[in-house]
Amino acid sequence: MLEFKKFTLPNGLKLIVNEDKATPLIAVNILYQVGSRNESPDRTGFAHLFEHLMFGGSVNIPSYDEPLQHVGGENNAFTSNDITNYYSTVPAENIETALWLESDRMLELDFSYQSLEVQRNVVIEEFRQRYLNQPYGDLWLQLRPLAYKVHPYQWPTIGKSIDHIREATLDDVKNFFYSHYAPNNAIMTISGNITPEKAYDLVTKWFGDIPFRKLSDNHIPSEPAQTAPRMMEVKRKVPYHGIYKVFHMGGRNSSEFQVCDMITDLLSSGKSARLYQKMVKELQLFSDINAYVSGDVDPGLIVVGGKLIDGVSPEKADRAVSEILNDIQVHLFTDTEIQKVKNKFESNLLMSQTNILNKGMSLSYYEMLGDADLINTEAERYNAITDEELRQTATKIFSENNCSTLYYLAEN
């Protein structure tokens, strides 16, 4: 059982404190409830741009990294479809340095043309290197708009187009900041060698005067049910063909999320799993193949796909994948397979709770889902999954009409 205390400041900032006396360190995690799902279709990539801008200087502090490094701290951040997460670890006696830095950039960034230009160029170069100039790099630039027609999950966190970042103005950036980066849109978790009472006092000292802000009321449309199969082919300069099949599934808070997660682990977790044994070892159609859930807060995707052995036709490999997905709806997973996956999940969960940074991230995330205490019941939800739930969910999800298929073909 992971113990913690929760507080809410008058300005709306949520604070979770997990005291861990066994470490000399403290992890400070701040989750902002803004990701690519909160962007306008003609201004995509902003949440990811802000991941960079937040390190480019704030209103009173020109450099975020240097003061933290001087007191032995480390930091980083990441952006997803749903959140932007900033984190740092410092020796316990230096926690105020981390709080000082985080509070100043929550208050206001250095909104200068120079800062915007520097970070804009960094993001544009990342877009080119990771998505346009790398083999299979634009996979999700193709898959997302194939699977989603209405919901903003139809673009990746990097954005739809380089032009959206290139054309961003200072006013665009300021408006996005003040309508999303606010104490009343953030969840802070402090994990480490500090009492909840002291943590609350320090957070109040550094964050208490930051004003509550009016948040963006952007409407996020629900994706309508897919009622017919979708198919797309692209040709690229890559060494081997690839096939990727995606199926709509419930969101992170839905009753079927854990079931879908378990199904994908049963299919592809390790070399003893069904997909590897059948597709790689027995039929020798794929050099690698995986199945996983996208893990999104709103209804997301199960992804099944990989790269083919040279000379294997995409159509043949596609039929083989469909056969195994249909087969698990009739021939259930064995008790041994299921228990192995349940044991692995519980072990991974327990191991993650030995690290203060992992605890901080997880507590913030579960609080964003509705209640930080969900971290203490997650293993129970997985262990309670039955054979019949697996069968019913597989039958529902792996319907041909719920499938979007991408043939990612190597040019001759």
Side-chain angles (χ1 to χ4, degrees):
M1 179 72 70
L2 187 61
E3 296 185 355
F4 56 88
K5 286 190 176 182
K6 296 199 294 185
F7 308 88
T8 302
L9 274 63
N11 61 8
L13 176 63
K14 293 182 179 180
L15 172 65
I16 303 169
V17 185
N18 162 245
E19 183 178 4
D20 186 344
K21 297 179 180 179
T23 174
L25 302 174
I26 286 177
V28 177
N29 190 82
I30 297 186
L31 181 154
Y32 288 96
Q33 297 181 83
V34 54
S36 58
R37 71 197 284 272
N38 303 103
E39 299 164 348
S40 170
D42 59 353
R43 280 290 182 269
T44 63
F46 269 50
H48 178 252
L49 175 62
F50 265 90
E51 178 191 324
H52 291 264
L53 285 171
M54 293 281 269
F55 290 98
S58 52
V59 61
N60 298 302
I61 304 170
S63 171
Y64 180 93
D65 290 332
E66 289 181 17
L68 196 69
Q69 291 169 355
H70 287 163
V71 298
E74 298 179 344
N75 71 91
N76 215 325
F78 64 87
T79 309
S80 75
N81 300 116
D82 304 302
I83 65 171
T84 309
N85 197 86
Y86 300 87
Y87 55 92
S88 60
T89 55
V90 291
E93 61 269 23
N94 295 327
I95 183 176
E96 288 201 72
T97 299
L99 297 179
W100 164 61
L101 292 166
E102 290 291 356
S103 65
D104 200 61
R105 64 180 180 180
M106 181 185 285
L107 176 65
E108 186 178 341
L109 295 186
D110 172 21
F111 290 117
S112 68
Y113 180 77
Q114 180 182 6
S115 175
L116 175 58
E117 276 302 290
V118 169
Q119 301 306 327
R120 185 206 314 272
N121 290 333
V122 169
V123 171
I124 288 174
E125 183 60 23
E126 181 182 345
F127 196 117
R128 289 193 178 113
Q129 292 301 320
R130 291 182 58 188
Y131 292 83
L132 302 182
N133 299 333
Q134 181 172 289
Y136 310 97
D138 69 338
L139 174 65
W140 280 106
L141 292 173
Q142 310 301 325
L143 264 179
R144 285 192 174 277
L146 180 63
Y148 292 101
K149 302 303 179 184
V150 173
H151 195 283
Y153 286 164
Q154 65 188 269
W155 58 82
T157 56
I158 197 72
K160 284 183 181 180
S161 166
I162 286 178
D163 290 340
H164 289 183
I165 299 302
R166 183 183 287 120
E167 297 168 2
T169 67
L170 268 179
D171 283 341
D172 291 334
V173 167
K174 288 181 181 179
N175 290 337
F176 195 81
F177 176 83
Y178 286 116
S179 59
H180 293 97
Y181 293 82
N184 47 305
N185 200 39
I187 302 167
M188 174 186 286
T189 298
I190 296 177
S191 179
N193 199 345
I194 189 170
T195 66
E197 293 73 23
K198 182 179 180 180
Y200 176 78
D201 289 343
L202 291 177
V203 170
T204 300
K205 171 185 174 181
W206 288 104
F207 291 82
D209 291 336
I210 300 175
F212 178 96
R213 291 175 183 146
K214 186 180 185 304
L215 302 178
S216 172
D217 58 356
N218 57 310
H219 172 68
I220 299 174
S222 298
E223 183 69 19
Q226 184 174 335
T227 58
R230 298 170 186 163
M231 177 72 188
M232 181 180 180
E233 290 186 7
V234 297
K235 291 186 177 181
R236 297 289 187 268
K237 293 181 179 179
V238 294
Y240 305 106
H241 296 324
I243 292 179
Y244 301 90
K245 302 175 77 67
V246 296
F247 304 83
H248 292 278
M249 58 168 281
R252 189 61 179 81
N253 280 323
S254 74
S255 59
E256 72 181 19
F257 178 86
Q258 286 83 8
V259 184
C260 290
D261 192 25
M262 181 171 288
I263 288 171
T264 58
D265 270 5
L266 286 163
L267 283 170
S268 72
S269 181
K271 293 186 176 181
S272 62
R274 298 259 180 123
L275 284 176
Y276 182 88
Q277 285 294 313
K278 189 72 175 179
M279 301 297 166
V280 177
K281 193 171 181 180
E282 181 182 335
L283 298 179
Q284 298 183 2
L285 300 176
F286 286 80
S287 60
D288 68 82
I289 185 169
N290 291 289
Y292 57 92
V293 297
S294 59
D296 300 308
V297 172
D298 291 341
L301 300 172
I302 283 183
V303 185
V304 182
K307 299 176 184 66
L308 308 187
I309 296 292
D310 193 24
V312 174
S313 75
E315 294 79 10
K316 180 179 180 180
D318 191 1
R319 287 193 298 271
V321 171
S322 295
E323 285 175 6
I324 199 168
L325 296 181
N326 291 332
D327 183 67
I328 65 171
Q329 302 170 36
V330 180
H331 301 99
L332 300 182
F333 296 102
T334 66
D335 291 342
T336 301
E337 288 176 297
I338 294 171
Q339 195 57 52
K340 179 182 177 182
V341 167
K342 288 182 176 180
N343 291 344
K344 180 180 177 182
F345 175 83
E346 188 166 8
S347 174
N348 289 341
L349 181 64
L350 291 173
M351 286 296 295
S352 72
Q353 294 182 11
T354 64
N355 179 285
I356 56 171
L357 183 55
N358 287 342
K359 288 190 289 185
M361 289 183 182
S362 296
L363 285 167
S364 291
Y365 184 74
Y366 281 108
E367 181 66 19
M368 184 268 297
L369 291 178
D371 185 356
D373 196 49
L374 290 169
I375 195 172
N376 290 319
T377 59
E378 187 80 312
E380 294 175 15
R381 290 196 291 276
Y382 277 85
N383 284 327
I385 293 172
T386 65
D387 297 358
E388 184 59 18
E389 283 181 286
L390 292 169
R391 188 193 66 77
Q392 288 182 358
T393 302
T395 301
K396 173 188 173 184
I397 299 297
F398 296 128
S399 162
E400 182 180 356
N401 289 332
N402 189 41
C403 181
S404 297
T405 303
L406 174 66
Y407 285 3
Y408 199 103
L409 305 179
E411 292 182 346
N412 293 328

